[in-house]
Amino acid sequence: MALALLLTACQGAPTAPRVQMAPVSTAAGPATAAPPPPARPAGPPRGPGGIQQLLAVDDQRAVVVFVPEATFGEPAPTLALMHRDGRIGWSVTLDHPLFETRTSPGVELVGDAVVVTLAEWPPSREEYAMYETVAGIQVHALDDGHRRARIDAGKWAYGRETVVDGDERYDVVTSDTGGDPFLIASGPQGERWRTKLHDRAAGDEILMLPEHVAVSAYGGMAAPDSWFLYRRDDGRRVGSIEGQDETCTDGRRWFLWQKDALVEARPSDLSTRLISKVTLPGGSSRTTRGCTIIDGEPIAFIQQGMTEGLVSIAPDGSTRHAMSLGLRRLRSGRVYPLPNRLHPVVATLSESEDDFVELGVSDLRRAGATFGRGPKTYAGAQGLIRRDDGSGGYVVAARSVIATIDGDTGQLVGRALRRDTMAFHRSQLRGSHLWLPPPSPMRLGQAAPTVLDLRDPAAPEPDVDQATRDAFRAMPRIQCSALSTSGHDGIGTSEALPPPPKHGRLPAWDLDLLASGARHFACADANAEVTLLAWSIETDDRPLRNHNALVLVETRVNGAPIYTAVAMYRHATNKSWNVSRGYHSRSRPVRRFAHRPTTADLDAFVAQSKFQYVSGYGRVVRGNVLDDHWRRATGEKPTLHFAAAIEQAD
């Protein structure tokens, strides 16, 4: 029976076995002396506030960080143990706010201890970086909350990365004042050891290996990117292995990229073995984005031009299957294995024109496999969070929806509306129980959390996300047949810039080449109609000059019309066109419509693309909105134009 997430406090749910706490670490190292326990406060704060972070311990307890409503200044947060019915077991007032990193919410469960990272601002924001720094790391006993140890992170230290593995925790901290970066190992009793990192060790990635901790290092111009390895027991550095930070390990095998080659690294002797020089159908311009290991074999994730793809690699290094995602992109930059099945994986995918997400399931070892179309019932999804209850399934959170994914089929089997605004984090899931904090404002000890037992069978609930599903307009799907580029990547050359063209209604460009590039990024055929709506030339004093074009491509799929808006650019010394879509970029340079777009549709597209009517990085020196083309394409007149000195009369 399908699982259904019911947003009610599950007070009568069966009690699952408590999580077995890992033993206290006995690894050698300079343990931090425990200070005398601070005076215990009379009780939790009485005023209203909200839960900043929630760390599930088991099905009955969770550690929360409560922040009271501020009357002035920055209020002191409270660390507390909350029971399922809302009662508070213990509470401790922290002297600083939480310090959060990309991988840690600032509070972690390490063995039988709760470890919090505290933040503070440097005394002068002009003298030091404009970031919060680490005030210290505190270790509290889980059973009664008393402080066991405080770990000094150094003066104005910036925490770059945190990783927890059972009863071991590792932090990379660097100094805003030019001090040495350190790797600090700690456990339930405090600091175990610390070691100075190599000068180049950026620490943006920490990788846990069976006997080593690997820390990424950026090489820059002088040296290749590398991973530095340190012994987990005493912190001794054993050496480095060349490789980019796109890497993957399953605890047994470790794969990483050396330029366009995927290699297997062996920490025991710091050697590497070539696995494959990944090749793809189509053009040669590509970017490695990462990998995933399934049953001991790597799956490479690659971006080529506007298109993303996955390559399954056999043990002998040959390519089993190269899969293009067409207009779709991997939402979290990875795929997730379904352990209850031999080879298939599940992924969250999104179309390039909107934030809707769908689930796709595929067998990446089967030739000709593609990601099947799944439900498009929620938007803004984060990555999937693996359930640790043996089900093999996942939990995914979006802006307003929480959903469960079955470990056998990879399909959505339950969902519910979110009522909180706190960012969903893996720390809220423990075993088969998902904890949701009480809505704010609330008073600590007087409001119960919601605890969802993901194992509970229940009648299928109504589709609470029907409005979101209805908002997605069903449209025929365009499939790009292969990974390919338009010939070049659009990046400029060292050639001298020609003089800027004279003012004119149309640009002095090869419009056939422009149309070819637009059809490529729209995944349209060679007969698709292309309309140039607006264009511009922007330049600065480096000198750098860009050509920009806003176009509409019209094609038909199974007799139904498809309209694709594309915002393209190229450097003035290049012939081919490109779209602005970096790994961290939020711009959407391609958007499809199942109806003829209106002016409002195109204005909304322009707002979230890189096309601009005003100066951006430089100065707009030429440009024009082609009013007659716009009216013919939309049936309406345009509302936005360039400055009067730039715009040309029709």
Side-chain angles (χ1 to χ4, degrees), residues 124-423:
S124 170
R125 299 189 184 186
E126 289 75 31
E127 181 179 357
Y128 300 105
M130 291 287 291
Y131 297 102
E132 289 178 312
T133 58
V134 178
I137 301 171
Q138 287 188 180
V139 181
H140 294 262
L142 176 62
D143 57 356
D144 63 4
H146 84 268
R147 195 174 80 187
R148 290 177 176 171
R150 185 178 177 107
I151 301 171
D152 180 23
K155 184 179 181 181
W156 315 134
Y158 178 62
R160 302 187 65 92
E161 184 81 342
T162 299
V163 171
V164 175
D165 187 13
D167 61 355
E168 298 179 15
R169 169 178 164 136
Y170 298 89
D171 291 90
V172 171
V173 295
T174 59
S175 174
D176 281 338
T177 59
D180 296 325
F182 277 87
L183 175 64
I184 301 176
S186 59
Q189 300 301 323
E191 181 173 333
R192 295 170 46 234
W193 52 257
R194 70 173 60 197
T195 186
K196 177 185 174 182
L197 294 176
H198 188 276
D199 294 342
R200 295 192 294 110
D204 287 332
E205 298 284 346
I206 299 178
L207 190 66
M208 301 305 302
L209 302 171
E211 298 180 0
H212 301 87
V213 181
V215 182
S216 64
Y218 174 63
M221 299 295 292
D225 293 351
S226 303
W227 287 84
F228 284 82
L229 276 67
Y230 303 85
R231 289 171 55 99
R232 291 179 66 159
D233 56 357
D234 59 10
R236 181 170 61 87
R237 193 176 83 194
V238 299
S240 63
I241 296 178
E242 178 185 341
Q244 301 168 20
D245 59 2
E246 295 91 354
T247 183
C248 54
T249 180
D250 60 0
R252 295 180 296 109
R253 304 183 72 184
W254 179 22
F255 297 95
L256 46 80
W257 291 95
Q258 293 179 349
K259 296 183 179 179
D260 62 347
L262 187 68
V263 302
E264 181 176 5
R266 296 190 177 99
S268 58
D269 59 3
L270 303 179
S271 65
T272 59
R273 179 176 69 91
L274 176 66
I275 298 298
S276 175
K277 285 186 174 292
V278 179
T279 57
L280 300 168
S284 60
S285 175
R286 61 183 179 272
T287 302
T288 57
R289 291 279 297 277
C291 61
T292 297
I293 300 176
I294 301 177
D295 297 330
E297 297 183 13
I299 304 294
F301 174 36
I302 292 175
Q303 179 175 337
Q304 183 170 302
M306 182 68 177
T307 309
E308 295 177 350
L310 294 161
V311 179
S312 175
I313 302 173
D316 61 1
S318 62
T319 297
R320 289 185 185 272
H321 177 47
M323 179 197 303
S324 167
L325 298 182
L327 284 183
R328 293 190 289 179
R329 62 193 300 185
L330 288 181
R331 188 69 182 195
S332 58
R334 58 170 296 188
V335 295
Y336 302 83
L338 292 172
N340 292 0
R341 302 175 68 183
L342 186 57
H343 304 314
V345 297
V346 64
T348 53
L349 303 152
S350 63
E351 299 286 354
S352 59
E353 79 277 5
D354 53 39
D355 285 334
F356 287 86
V357 174
E358 65 180 355
L359 296 177
V361 180
S362 180
D363 184 344
L364 297 181
R365 294 185 180 183
R366 181 171 56 83
T370 60
F371 275 108
R373 293 287 171 176
K376 296 175 286 293
T377 59
Y378 43 87
Q382 304 166 6
L384 305 184
I385 299 174
R386 177 76 174 272
R387 290 172 57 178
D388 59 357
D389 57 358
S391 69
Y394 294 88
V395 176
V396 60
R399 290 174 184 164
S400 59
V401 177
I402 295 173
T404 54
I405 298 172
D406 185 78
D408 291 315
T409 65
Q411 297 301 310
L412 187 74
V413 292
R415 66 179 155 263
L417 286 176
R418 296 181 66 185
R419 67 182 186 189
D420 66 301
T421 58
M422 189 180 87

Side-chain angles (χ1 to χ4, degrees), residues 323-597:
M323 179 197 303
S324 167
L325 298 182
L327 284 183
R328 293 190 289 179
R329 62 193 300 185
L330 288 181
R331 188 69 182 195
S332 58
R334 58 170 296 188
V335 295
Y336 302 83
L338 292 172
N340 292 0
R341 302 175 68 183
L342 186 57
H343 304 314
V345 297
V346 64
T348 53
L349 303 152
S350 63
E351 299 286 354
S352 59
E353 79 277 5
D354 53 39
D355 285 334
F356 287 86
V357 174
E358 65 180 355
L359 296 177
V361 180
S362 180
D363 184 344
L364 297 181
R365 294 185 180 183
R366 181 171 56 83
T370 60
F371 275 108
R373 293 287 171 176
K376 296 175 286 293
T377 59
Y378 43 87
Q382 304 166 6
L384 305 184
I385 299 174
R386 177 76 174 272
R387 290 172 57 178
D388 59 357
D389 57 358
S391 69
Y394 294 88
V395 176
V396 60
R399 290 174 184 164
S400 59
V401 177
I402 295 173
T404 54
I405 298 172
D406 185 78
D408 291 315
T409 65
Q411 297 301 310
L412 187 74
V413 292
R415 66 179 155 263
L417 286 176
R418 296 181 66 185
R419 67 182 186 189
D420 66 301
T421 58
M422 189 180 87
F424 185 85
H425 194 268
R426 68 179 186 278
S427 63
Q428 294 172 239
L429 182 65
R430 183 68 61 177
S432 60
H433 291 84
L434 178 65
W435 286 67
L436 303 176
S440 301
M442 48 84 70
R443 296 180 187 272
L444 198 59
Q446 300 181 26
T450 296
V451 183
L452 306 176
D453 190 339
L454 304 181
R455 303 167 305 176
D456 281 349
E461 65 166 330
D463 189 349
V464 296
D465 200 31
Q466 187 64 45
T468 304
R469 189 202 304 266
D470 293 343
F472 187 88
R473 300 182 179 94
M475 61 180 66
R477 300 296 179 181
I478 300 176
Q479 297 290 344
C480 293
S481 58
L483 295 167
S484 63
T485 66
S486 57
H488 296 13
D489 59 8
I491 303 302
T493 69
S494 59
E495 301 173 19
L497 288 174
K502 295 180 180 180
H503 285 284
R505 178 174 173 273
L506 289 170
W509 302 336
D510 184 338
L511 298 183
D512 290 335
L513 185 61
L514 182 147
S516 176
R519 293 187 184 101
H520 164 75
F521 292 118
C523 281
D525 58 45
N527 297 320
E529 180 180 347
V530 178
T531 302
L532 177 62
L533 301 174
W535 63 274
S536 70
I537 299 175
E538 191 171 6
T539 189
D540 64 12
D541 296 327
R542 281 178 273 190
L544 175 66
R545 186 180 303 155
N546 276 358
H547 296 165
N548 305 295
L550 177 64
V551 299
L552 186 68
V553 181
E554 180 180 353
T555 188
R556 303 186 76 83
V557 176
N558 298 328
I562 294 293
Y563 303 87
T564 306
V566 184
M568 300 188 299
Y569 82 96
R570 68 177 180 183
H571 288 275
T573 53
N574 274 21
K575 292 183 178 179
S576 297
W577 291 85
N578 197 14
V579 293
S580 178
R581 179 183 163 187
Y583 182 65
H584 297 288
S585 174
R586 296 183 62 85
S587 66
R588 292 295 180 85
V590 179
R591 182 177 181 183
R592 289 190 291 117
F593 301 90
H595 62 281
R596 183 175 294 278

Side-chain angles (χ1 to χ4, degrees), residues 13-36:
T15 300
R18 292 190 174 215
V19 176
Q20 181 66 39
M21 292 297 138
V24 176
S25 173
T26 58
T32 306

Side-chain angles (χ1 to χ4, degrees), residues 599-614:
T599 293
D601 290 332
L602 293 177
D603 287 349
F605 167 72
V606 167
Q608 47 85 64
S609 74
K610 287 290 187 178
F611 190 86
Q612 299 182 92
Y613 295 99
V614 297

